[in-house]
Amino acid sequence: MKKVINNAEQVVEEMLQGIVLAHPQYVKRVEGFDVIVRANAPVAGKVALVSGGGSGHEPSHGGFVGRGMLDGAVAGAVFTSPTPDQVYEAVKAVDSGKGVLLVIKNYTGDIMNFEMAAEMAEAENIKVAKVVVNDDVAVENSTWTTGRRGIAGTVFVHKIAGAKAETGASLEEVKAVADKVVANVRSMGMALSPCTVPAAGKPSFTLAEDEVEIGMGIHGEPGTHREAIGSADQTAAHLLDKILADMAPAAGDEVAVLVNGLGATPLMELYVVNRKVAEVLGGKGIQIAKTFVGNYMTSLEMAGFSITLLKLDAELKELLLAPADTPALVQF
Amino acid sequence: MKKVINNAEQVVEEMLQGIVLAHPQYVKRVEGFDVIVRANAPVAGKVALVSGGGSGHEPSHGGFVGRGMLDGAVAGAVFTSPTPDQVYEAVKAVDSGKGVLLVIKNYTGDIMNFEMAAEMAEAENIKVAKVVVNDDVAVENSTWTTGRRGIAGTVFVHKIAGAKAETGASLEEVKAVADKVVANVRSMGMALSPCTVPAAGKPSFTLAEDEVEIGMGIHGEPGTHREAIGSADQTAAHLLDKILADMAPAAGDEVAVLVNGLGATPLMELYVVNRKVAEVLGGKGIQIAKTFVGNYMTSLEMAGFSITLLKLDAELKELLLAPADTPALVQF
Amino acid sequence: MEVTRLNNRAIDLIGAVADAIVENKEFLTSLDAAIGDADHGINMARGVEAVRAKVTAAPGADIGALLKTTGMTLISTVGGASGPLYGTAFMRAAGAAQGKTELDGETVKQMLAAAIQGIKDRGKAARGEKTMLDALEPAFDAFVESLEAQKPLVDCLEAATEAARQGVAFTKTIIATKGRASYLGERSLGHQDPGATSSTILLATITDFCRKAQ
Amino acid sequence: MEVTRLNNRAIDLIGAVADAIVENKEFLTSLDAAIGDADHGINMARGVEAVRAKVTAAPGADIGALLKTTGMTLISTVGGASGPLYGTAFMRAAGAAQGKTELDGETVKQMLAAAIQGIKDRGKAARGEKTMLDALEPAFDAFVESLEAQKPLVDCLEAATEAARQGVAFTKTIIATKGRASYLGERSLGHQDPGATSSTILLATITDFCRKAQ
Ligand SMILES: Nc1ncnc2c1ncn2[C@@H]1O[C@H](COP(=O)(O)OP(=O)(O)O)[C@@H](O)[C@H]1O
Ligand SMILES: Nc1ncnc2c1ncn2[C@@H]1O[C@H](COP(=O)(O)OP(=O)(O)O)[C@@H](O)[C@H]1O
Ligand SMILES: [Mg+2]
Ligand SMILES: [Mg+2]
Ligand SMILES: [Mg+2]
Ligand SMILES: [Mg+2]
């Protein structure tokens, strides 16, 4: 394991300190907890958004704390859902009285921990609503699984529900638009190399020099299968096919695109992928309202990428294009 | 070599297509050339900035084309300075009549190619000025070298000279402030793993599992030496010491900080580094006006990071904090 | 058994459990790497170390209190799926052991039943889905059978542990339909469940401790 | 020699040079990996392929025109340090060969002198700094010596190539003070310079071609 860290046990703590030291204009720490919130939290008259999950997905989620996106982010141990008390502290720190929306990725652990936190908050008369993101089409959504995983599409939930909250909307309205994003967002990923959880000290899996993992999660979990590495165009087209098959957009539909790097894949390669994505969508008459290319939901130093499409309507589009001002996403 | 590409020969072309497809609101292609310029280039009444260099440093430089930073970027083959005709096309495409500043990183190849382009432009009566960035303190600046290399500090030149140009300043004024940035910016980097030039097909060097390269360039060039991997704090302190020894800032001085990822190093680790940087600077009474953490000047999929400090005066600070709107750096 | 003695013994038991988990940290993590996200051993070790520190500092007045501290500490330190599940299990067991300073077979049975019900309430899984329940439910059945056959508590625990072991082996033969491993489909076959394994380690350590303490 | 014949032969020579560089692409790149940025062979191969395509399509009326096309094509396709340097060298050599359709020793001497001066003007390096000049300058000296000794052109070229080879060997023994390798300081010792090597390959290929064409 070759990492720029001091020690595996302290890495989340030191990262959080580093984030707050880098971006004091955006965020502050909830002392004693692995929680960062907006520098001016709680923001009066606004529904607050809290997300989080295991660490190792940076800039998710702490990088998206700021105007137009999240109010607070909870950092669990690497790849491990944060505990309920931590989530509860975040909720308390950001609630202005208008209620708090929890943005949860669909993993058993995340759901249980956030649910317990919600119960704690409700016991203190804080209004809480939840949205569960499940955008990964790699695994069929069937009774045989716990439903789809939440991956990079989560960033669109942060962006759009965050923009909605900024308008002064009610908790029910913010939750409704978040649910609409979830209903319309689909992703799928592939990996060229594994990642190493610092405390584990060795890679979660190994791949041969000519092998890639298709449809893996963002925690080093194995995917649906392995195959020989193909060209960027082949791989992009394959992932996109799975997404489009599930989403079934029509010609004339408008989408947002996110070509997301998993950590170690250069922007150069992500742009090569985006070229193919744009070509395929163009060929089907699907309009691209906005494209994001970069590391938004990573998996430590994993090499690989995911593609996310979000089908837009007028409301989603307007909120997507609304301003945001956070450490990792700024938009005029 | 495991990369998400179609073929090594086409990777720059396809990347450029991907960039323009992703960010049509920001950039357009100069058809037939490996040049991207602002969507609304040339911008009337404004000195234009052109930078570039070998590809493989993304988001440098194409990602910084937009309001408040560059007007055009020229993409050479991977790690190879672009040719004069390409630079010349960029200059022609962005010049509004107020002149063009070339931002050049200090490498023999870059200097020669940009100089030849400048001669071509001057022959066509386009006013051209040049600034050569040489921020890397790894190598002593002596008669024994061709001077210091230009690395991540270049981004501060783009930002600050770009903001100055936006004020309507003259070419001489924009060049003056760019030179001031160069005089005050210092960087140094380290690598945990090498990178692979796509057309070369294998890594430029190899490192043992417990070995790091100190003071290497951003083209896979070997550095000053190798050593056993230390803790994040040790490594950060070592690089910072070299920078501070050269820069000699006094207590009370104000700086901007850039903790730059080389491509494959997770944000988590960069923030751990930033924690130490802030601690060391704090201990010396040096004020941090603004911190950037992320992949700004990369070296393909190299793992590692560099630290950049820029000593600020009132003018540099104001221009650093001025708005920017580019694919890779947006600031209100 | 007096409270002081209970405390000392209980702290020793918790120490033994913590040691066993820490010893198996890498093993559990490697099981999780195969079908999950390579953190189960790390999560559990973090939790049991926190519990050890907590109960050593303030053991509580009775077994119920001690288990409540254990459950709450697990909830606030483990995270992931196993944190809420084990945490809830110990909280529920605490309820069944409230005010007790000594345990008999019937109480232990109620504690186990409550713990398992807690896991089911929280995780909405059933036996056969390749989770810790595939160790714990057979263990409970075996415990009850031995108890009804009037066996001593230690023998009942021994039977439970043996059944849990078989449950772990069984998890190799089935596809996961709950938890992170469910995404793997057929690829989860042949791998034993990390949570079922840690449950079995817990049971085995408790059994061992009780036998030695006789 | 008629222009047509010149064109055919010149195109063949350029083809031979291109083949030699492409053959050595990986070798040159690996030399550059050791003390530079692992692109010299890639850069040169891209350049000579472009030149081959260009001169095959439109060879130009005389040797000067042909070399000018070569130089301009190198400038616009190679990039890096070697692009402007080799490009300038060929442009300057073109100047010395303007209007010529046949070459004699004196003309070749002037072409070499102009090319080397071009490299020095452009790169501001001198002999002994571990660059292509450490092959080219000794080559020039040897060429002139042979020419003054009234040797035939091919023998002069042969002597030049041999001196270039020794120059390459010499670059192993010195520290780079120009170009990318200069950042390495002592670490550049023991490695031969990629540009000196490609210069020698150029010379050797031309020599070989001329000997065979006799
Ligand atoms: N719904 C559930 N019900 C019971 N046990 C579960 C459930 N989901 C997961 N588990 C157990 O949790 C274990 C994984 O725990 P752990 O790795 O710590 O959490 P995570 O899966 O969040 O990384 C699995 O091996 C399984 O035994
Ligand atoms: N100033 C200079 N004068 C002469 N030759 C030089 C100079 N700088 C570099 N070179 C030559 O260029 C070669 C490197 O070329 P190349 O790798 O293509 O360019 P780059 O260094 O830009 O990657 C060196 O091996 C050296 O021979
Ligand atoms: Mg986990
Ligand atoms: Mg180069
Ligand atoms: Mg796990
Ligand atoms: Mg080179």
Side-chain angles (χ1 to χ4, degrees):
Chain A
M1 178 178 63
K2 218 170 187 182
K3 288 181 189 281
V4 187
I5 61 174
N6 291 306
N7 79 63
E9 252 84 66
Q10 285 303 307
V11 70
V12 172
E13 170 62 31
E14 294 183 353
M15 169 186 77
L16 291 172
Q17 290 180 21
I19 292 176
V20 173
L21 286 162
H23 311 296
Q25 73 274 40
Y26 289 115
V27 294
K28 65 185 179 196
R29 182 79 177 264
V30 175
E31 282 314 323
F33 293 88
D34 294 340
V35 171
I36 61 176
V37 298
R38 290 196 201 181
N40 63 339
V43 181
K46 194 186 85 67
V47 167
L49 271 75
V50 167
S51 191
S55 292
H57 306 304
E58 292 67 30
S60 291
H61 298 279
F64 299 120
V65 174
R67 188 159 56 86
M69 295 186 76
L70 301 177
D71 294 81
V74 194
V78 175
F79 292 170
T80 301
S81 167
T83 57
D85 51 318
Q86 301 277 342
V87 180
Y88 173 55
E89 284 302 319
V91 168
K92 278 197 300 184
V94 299
D95 181 45
S96 71
K98 271 202 97 168
V100 178
L101 178 69
L102 300 178
V103 182
I104 311 169
K105 295 193 291 314
N106 190 31
Y107 299 99
T108 311
D110 291 66
I111 304 241
M112 290 191 295
N113 285 289
F114 276 79
E115 259 174 11
M116 289 168 84
E119 288 162 18
M120 291 163 81
E122 278 156 359
E124 297 297 320
N125 291 316
I126 300 177
K127 273 193 295 179
V128 177
K130 288 168 291 188
V131 57
V132 176
V133 190
N134 60 352
D135 53 320
D136 188 351
V137 300
V139 178
E140 295 300 321
N141 193 0
S142 75
T143 46
W144 299 107
T145 70
T146 50
R148 289 172 158 157
R149 293 180 287 225
I151 56 173
T154 311
V155 177
F156 283 138
V157 180
H158 298 345
K159 175 67 194 72
I160 288 172
K164 185 75 181 181
E166 228 55 65
T167 68
S170 70
L171 182 58
E172 292 67 30
E173 290 166 331
V174 176
K175 175 176 160 52
V177 83
D179 285 332
K180 202 200 303 185
V181 176
V182 171
N184 287 285
V185 68
R186 298 287 183 278
S187 306
M188 187 163 161
M190 63 84 70
L192 280 82
S193 71
C195 56
T196 299
V197 174
K202 52 177 188 255
S204 312
F205 56 88
T206 48
L207 285 169
E209 182 53 33
D210 64 344
E211 217 180 21
V212 297
E213 182 88 30
I214 302 290
M216 81 296 140
I218 52 172
H219 306 89
E221 311 98 313
T224 55
H225 67 284
R226 288 175 184 193
E227 59 184 42
I229 186 166
S231 70
D233 284 1
Q234 284 166 350
T235 313
H238 173 64
L239 301 186
L240 208 49
D241 276 356
K242 295 277 274 181
I243 292 168
L244 291 172
D246 191 273
M247 175 180 250
D253 277 355
E254 221 175 351
V255 298
V257 172
L258 166 58
V259 178
N260 174 60
L262 292 175
T265 287
L267 259 183
M268 169 179 279
E269 298 175 29
L270 299 181
Y271 279 117
V272 170
V273 168
N274 182 61
R275 174 184 160 278
K276 183 66 183 177
V277 172
E279 181 188 302
V280 171
L281 295 179
K284 294 190 186 295
I286 298 165
Q287 313 286 318
I288 301 171
K290 172 134 188 157
T291 301
F292 299 82
V293 178
N295 294 350
Y296 289 85
M297 177 73 73
T298 62
S299 194
L300 294 171
E301 73 281 49
M302 186 178 282
F305 69 96
S306 62
I307 298 172
T308 298
L309 296 190
L310 168 64
K311 190 149 65 169
L312 297 169
D313 63 10
E315 182 190 29
L316 295 184
K317 182 175 177 182
E318 189 188 329
L319 294 168
L320 179 72
L321 300 180
D325 197 14
T326 74
L329 179 59
V330 185
Q331 202 168 276
F332 279 96
Chain B
M1 178 178 64
K2 217 169 187 180
K3 289 182 189 283
V4 187
I5 61 175
N6 292 306
N7 79 65
E9 253 82 67
Q10 286 303 306
V11 70
V12 172
E13 170 61 31
E14 293 183 354
M15 170 187 76
L16 291 172
Q17 290 180 22
I19 292 176
V20 173
L21 286 163
H23 311 296
Q25 72 275 38
Y26 289 114
V27 294
K28 65 184 178 196
R29 183 80 178 264
V30 176
E31 281 315 323
F33 293 88
D34 294 340
V35 171
I36 62 177
V37 297
R38 291 197 200 180
N40 62 339
V43 182
K46 193 186 85 71
V47 166
L49 271 75
V50 167
S51 192
S55 291
H57 306 304
E58 292 69 30
S60 292
H61 298 277
F64 299 121
V65 174
R67 189 158 57 86
M69 295 187 76
L70 302 177
D71 294 81
V74 194
V78 174
F79 291 171
T80 301
S81 167
T83 56
D85 52 317
Q86 301 278 342
V87 179
Y88 173 55
E89 284 302 321
V91 168
K92 280 197 299 183
V94 300
D95 180 45
S96 70
K98 273 203 96 167
V100 178
L101 178 69
L102 300 179
V103 182
I104 311 169
K105 295 193 293 310
N106 188 32
Y107 299 99
T108 310
D110 291 66
I111 303 245
M112 291 191 294
N113 285 289
F114 277 79
E115 259 174 9
M116 290 169 84
E119 288 162 19
M120 291 164 80
E122 278 156 359
E124 297 296 321
N125 293 314
I126 300 176
K127 276 193 293 179
V128 177
K130 289 170 289 187
V131 57
V132 177
V133 189
N134 60 351
D135 53 319
D136 188 352
V137 300
V139 178
E140 296 300 322
N141 193 1
S142 76
T143 47
W144 299 107
T145 70
T146 49
R148 287 172 161 158
R149 292 179 288 224
I151 56 173
T154 310
V155 178
F156 283 138
V157 180
H158 297 344
K159 175 67 193 75
I160 288 173
K164 184 75 181 182
E166 227 55 65
T167 67
S170 69
L171 182 57
E172 292 67 31
E173 290 167 331
V174 175
K175 176 177 160 53
V177 83
D179 284 332
K180 204 204 295 186
V181 176
V182 171
N184 286 285
V185 68
R186 297 290 184 275
S187 306
M188 186 161 163
M190 63 84 71
L192 282 81
S193 72
C195 57
T196 299
V197 175
K202 50 176 188 253
S204 311
F205 57 88
T206 48
L207 286 168
E209 181 54 31
D210 63 344
E211 218 180 22
V212 298
E213 182 88 30
I214 301 291
M216 80 298 141
I218 53 172
H219 306 90
E221 312 98 313
T224 55
H225 67 281
R226 289 178 183 191
E227 59 184 43
I229 187 167
S231 70
D233 284 1
Q234 284 165 350
T235 313
H238 173 64
L239 301 187
L240 209 47
D241 276 356
K242 297 274 275 178
I243 292 169
L244 292 171
D246 191 273
M247 175 180 251
D253 278 355
E254 222 175 351
V255 297
V257 172
L258 165 58
V259 178
N260 173 59
L262 292 175
T265 287
L267 260 183
M268 169 179 278
E269 298 175 29
L270 300 181
Y271 279 117
V272 170
V273 168
N274 182 60
R275 174 185 160 278
K276 183 66 184 178
V277 172
E279 182 189 300
V280 171
L281 295 179
K284 296 190 187 293
I286 298 166
Q287 311 287 319
I288 301 171
K290 171 130 186 158
T291 301
F292 299 82
V293 178
N295 294 350
Y296 288 84
M297 178 73 74
T298 62
S299 194
L300 294 172
E301 72 282 47
M302 185 178 281
F305 68 96
S306 63
I307 298 173
T308 299
L309 295 190
L310 169 65
K311 190 150 65 168
L312 297 168
D313 63 9
E315 182 190 29
L316 295 184
K317 181 174 175 182
E318 189 189 329
L319 293 168
L320 179 72
L321 300 180
D325 197 15
T326 74
L329 179 59
V330 185
Q331 203 168 274
F332 278 97
Chain C
M1 202 199 301
E2 279 173 78
V3 172
T4 340
R5 260 208 77 209
L6 158 78
N7 281 348
N8 286 343
R9 282 191 61 196
I11 291 170
D12 288 349
L13 173 54
I14 280 168
V17 166
D19 287 345
I21 291 292
V22 170
E23 224 162 81
N24 285 284
K25 179 176 165 177
E26 282 199 28
F27 173 57
L28 292 170
T29 298
S30 71
L31 293 178
D32 197 28
I35 56 169
D37 58 350
D39 63 357
H40 187 59
I42 302 166
N43 295 344
M44 293 299 293
R46 186 172 54 240
V48 293
E49 288 295 11
V51 169
R52 194 204 310 258
K54 202 70 159 248
V55 301
T56 309
D62 59 49
I63 297 177
L66 186 109
L67 289 176
K68 194 174 164 201
T69 303
T70 301
M72 287 186 45
T73 305
L74 290 177
I75 288 174
S76 68
T77 57
V78 176
S82 48
L85 292 169
Y86 277 124
T88 303
F90 278 91
M91 297 284 282
R92 294 286 180 93
Q98 216 173 342
K100 306 258 176 193
T101 52
E102 219 158 322
L103 297 177
D104 55 23
E106 190 52 37
T107 309
V108 173
K109 175 183 153 190
Q110 279 162 27
M111 287 164 68
L112 280 175
I116 290 170
Q117 192 54 49
I119 291 170
K120 289 167 125 177
D121 290 350
R122 185 56 70 197
K124 308 199 172 58
R127 199 165 158 172
E129 301 204 89
K130 196 164 183 146
T131 72
M132 51 179 73
L133 289 172
D134 291 315
L136 292 172
E137 291 217 315
F140 178 71
D141 293 349
F143 184 91
V144 172
E145 204 185 322
S146 297
L147 192 67
E148 280 169 4
Q150 316 266 329
K151 299 252 178 82
L153 178 53
V154 174
D155 291 8
C156 299
L157 285 171
E158 210 122 317
T161 302
E162 183 45 39
R165 281 208 184 90
Q166 285 170 25
V168 169
F170 174 66
T171 62
K172 289 195 197 181
T173 68
I174 55 174
I175 290 177
T177 53
K178 277 287 177 331
R180 219 175 273 279
S182 67
Y183 303 116
L184 282 180
E186 303 255 314
R187 285 177 95 185
S188 71
L189 276 178
H191 298 281
Q192 75 193 59
D193 181 61
T197 308
S198 60
S199 292
T200 303
I201 292 170
L202 291 179
L203 278 174
T205 311
I206 294 168
T207 304
D208 210 43
F209 185 89
C210 291
R211 195 190 314 98
K212 283 183 188 146
Q214 269 179 332
Chain D
M1 200 197 305
E2 282 173 74
V3 171
T4 341
R5 263 209 76 209
L6 158 80
N7 280 346
N8 285 342
R9 283 191 59 194
I11 291 170
D12 288 350
L13 172 54
I14 280 168
V17 166
D19 287 346
I21 291 291
V22 170
E23 225 162 78
N24 284 285
K25 177 175 165 179
E26 281 198 30
F27 173 56
L28 292 171
T29 298
S30 71
L31 293 178
D32 197 28
I35 56 169
D37 59 349
D39 63 357
H40 186 59
I42 303 166
N43 295 344
M44 294 299 292
R46 186 173 52 240
V48 293
E49 288 294 13
V51 170
R52 193 204 313 256
K54 202 71 158 243
V55 300
T56 309
D62 57 48
I63 298 179
L66 187 109
L67 289 176
K68 194 174 163 202
T69 303
T70 302
M72 287 187 42
T73 305
L74 290 176
I75 288 175
S76 69
T77 58
V78 176
S82 48
L85 293 169
Y86 277 124
T88 304
F90 279 91
M91 298 285 282
R92 295 286 180 93
Q98 219 173 338
K100 307 258 178 194
T101 53
E102 219 158 322
L103 298 176
D104 54 23
E106 191 52 37
T107 310
V108 173
K109 176 184 154 190
Q110 280 161 26
M111 287 164 66
L112 279 174
I116 290 170
Q117 192 55 48
I119 290 170
K120 287 168 129 176
D121 291 349
R122 185 57 70 198
K124 308 198 171 60
R127 200 164 157 173
E129 300 204 273
K130 196 166 183 142
T131 72
M132 50 179 75
L133 289 173
D134 292 314
L136 292 172
E137 292 217 315
F140 179 71
D141 293 349
F143 184 92
V144 172
E145 204 185 319
S146 298
L147 192 66
E148 281 166 3
Q150 317 266 328
K151 300 253 177 80
L153 178 55
V154 174
D155 290 9
C156 300
L157 286 169
E158 211 122 318
T161 302
E162 181 47 36
R165 280 211 183 89
Q166 285 168 27
V168 169
F170 173 66
T171 62
K172 287 196 197 181
T173 69
I174 55 174
I175 290 177
T177 54
K178 277 288 177 327
R180 217 176 274 280
S182 67
Y183 303 117
L184 282 180
E186 305 256 315
R187 285 177 96 186
S188 71
L189 276 178
H191 298 281
Q192 75 193 60
D193 180 60
T197 309
S198 60
S199 292
T200 304
I201 293 171
L202 291 180
L203 279 174
T205 310
I206 294 168
T207 306
D208 210 44
F209 185 88
C210 290
R211 195 192 313 99
K212 283 185 189 145
Q214 271 181 330

